[in-house]
């Protein structure tokens, strides 16, 4: 009887912003990739910070106005784009709610909590990593499904609790400058390494797959560059 091979380890750094709907859609698509390689690849997912607009005011801006100014689209085009995003997400099992007053928010504190969640996962040796991804999804839901202000400390603390993290510790982090330098350093690192837009999926620290690609795109890269090299 042939000895069964151990799964191949694959680290995936997902550079993204909580404000980015295509980052969410890209992740929902990537989950099909993870399912496809179940038992063949052990995926280690780590979320990396990227701010679409680091100068976003604390109270945010109206999403339609933001998109019009950033991309030069008309209100009608903006509404059509948002409808397309909502329908795409709905097809992947995620409910978007884009009300008239839907706002883009400052995401720096959300990234600080995500860096902390990664540290929590790293400290839990032997356990399955899950807090950081759970927090990322809680933040996506709060922002895109529930239209909550994910720059509000109370909302962030609740999201941390939903992800199984210690809410008191999350509150103390948000009341301090903890992980601020970590977020800034990581953002600079990924910019210096060619990440100018999100989402960007970095495979084993050396192969970048940009954008919210279809699962088949990732599968071709993994089959050729990861499983092929694994022999």
């Amino acid at each position: 009887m042939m000895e069964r091979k151990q799964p191949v380890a694959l680290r995936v750094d997902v550079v993204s912003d909580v404000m980015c709907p295509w980052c969410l859609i890209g992740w929902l698509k990537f989950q099909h990739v993870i399912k496809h390689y179940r038992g063949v690849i052990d995926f280690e997912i780590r979320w990396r910070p990227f701010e679409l607009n680091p100068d976003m005011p604390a109270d945010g801006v109206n999403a339609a106005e933001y998109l019009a100014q950033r991309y030069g689209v008309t209100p009608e085009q903006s509404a059509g784009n948002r409808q397309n995003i909502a329908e795409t997400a709905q097809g992947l099992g995620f409910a978007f709610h884009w009300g008239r007053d839907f706002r883009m928010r400052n995401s720096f504190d959300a990234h600080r909590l995500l860096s902390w969640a990664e540290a929590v996962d790293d400290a839990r040796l032997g356990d399955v990593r899950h807090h950081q991804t759970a927090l990322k999804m809680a933040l996506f839901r709060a922002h895109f499904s529930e239209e909550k202000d994910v720059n509000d400390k109370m909302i962030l603390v609740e999201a941390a609790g939903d992800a199984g993290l210690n809410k008191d510790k999350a509150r103390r982090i948000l009341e301090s400058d903890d992980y601020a330098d970590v977020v800034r350093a990581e953002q600079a690192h990924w910019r210096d390494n060619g990440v100018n837009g999100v989402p960007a999926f970095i495979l084993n620290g050396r192969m970048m797959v940009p954008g919210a690609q279809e699962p088949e795109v990732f599968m071709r890269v993994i089959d050729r560059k990861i499983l092929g090299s694994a022999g």
Side-chain angles (χ1 to χ4, degrees):
M1 181 180 293
M2 292 184 61
E3 183 179 351
R4 184 178 180 181
K5 291 184 177 180
Q6 292 295 318
V8 174
L10 176 57
R11 173 167 166 164
V12 182
D13 293 287
V14 188
V15 189
S16 69
D17 191 1
V18 176
M19 295 297 104
C20 169
W22 290 109
C23 292
L24 169 61
I25 288 171
W27 171 246
L28 295 174
K29 291 180 178 180
F30 192 76
Q31 289 183 75
H32 292 284
V33 179
I34 295 174
K35 181 178 180 181
H36 176 78
Y37 290 106
R38 184 171 297 157
V40 177
I41 294 177
D42 279 342
F43 288 89
E44 178 186 330
I45 306 298
R46 293 177 183 253
W47 294 91
R48 301 307 184 195
F50 188 100
E51 292 177 271
L52 288 171
N53 188 348
D55 299 319
M56 182 73 68
D59 60 347
V61 297
N62 179 273
E65 295 174 2
Y66 170 85
L67 293 172
Q69 292 175 1
R70 185 176 180 89
Y71 300 108
V73 298
T74 66
E76 293 76 15
Q77 290 171 324
S78 176
N81 290 340
R82 286 183 284 128
Q83 181 65 25
N84 176 54
I85 290 170
E87 291 175 356
T88 301
Q90 184 71 36
L92 293 166
F94 189 95
F96 265 66
H97 296 292
W98 301 75
R100 181 175 297 179
D101 297 325
F102 182 81
R103 300 179 74 78
M104 303 294 288
R105 303 288 184 177
N106 187 292
S107 59
F108 188 76
D109 279 345
H111 287 303
R112 289 203 295 136
L113 280 192
L114 285 162
S115 292
W116 165 57
E118 180 186 16
V120 171
D121 282 342
D122 283 346
R124 295 173 64 88
L125 298 178
D127 286 356
V128 175
R129 301 181 59 86
H130 68 276
H131 290 95
Q132 196 188 33
T133 294
L135 177 57
K136 188 76 173 189
M137 290 306 300
L139 292 168
F140 276 141
R141 287 192 300 271
H143 180 56
F144 288 117
S145 291
E146 301 165 4
E147 295 191 57
K148 292 181 178 178
D149 180 358
V150 293
N151 189 47
D152 182 280
K153 289 181 172 55
M154 290 182 61
I155 301 301
L156 289 170
V157 168
E158 289 302 315
D162 290 343
L165 293 158
N166 185 293
K167 292 169 67 172
D168 289 335
K169 177 63 174 175
R171 189 176 294 107
R172 289 195 295 272
I173 289 170
L174 292 170
E175 291 171 351
S176 72
D177 291 326
D178 289 356
Y179 295 96
D181 289 344
V182 173
V183 171
R184 294 189 184 101
E186 284 203 19
Q187 290 189 116
H189 168 78
W190 294 112
R191 285 196 303 270
D192 291 345
N193 282 273
V195 178
N196 300 310
V198 288
F201 294 77
I202 316 298
L203 310 184
N204 278 347
R206 55 192 175 86
M207 292 170 282
M208 180 169 71
V209 180
Q213 302 288 350
E214 295 301 321
E216 292 76 15
V217 174
F218 288 101
M219 292 173 189
R220 285 197 294 271
V221 174
I222 290 171
D223 286 344
R224 295 172 185 173
K225 302 296 186 179
I226 304 299
L227 296 181
S229 63

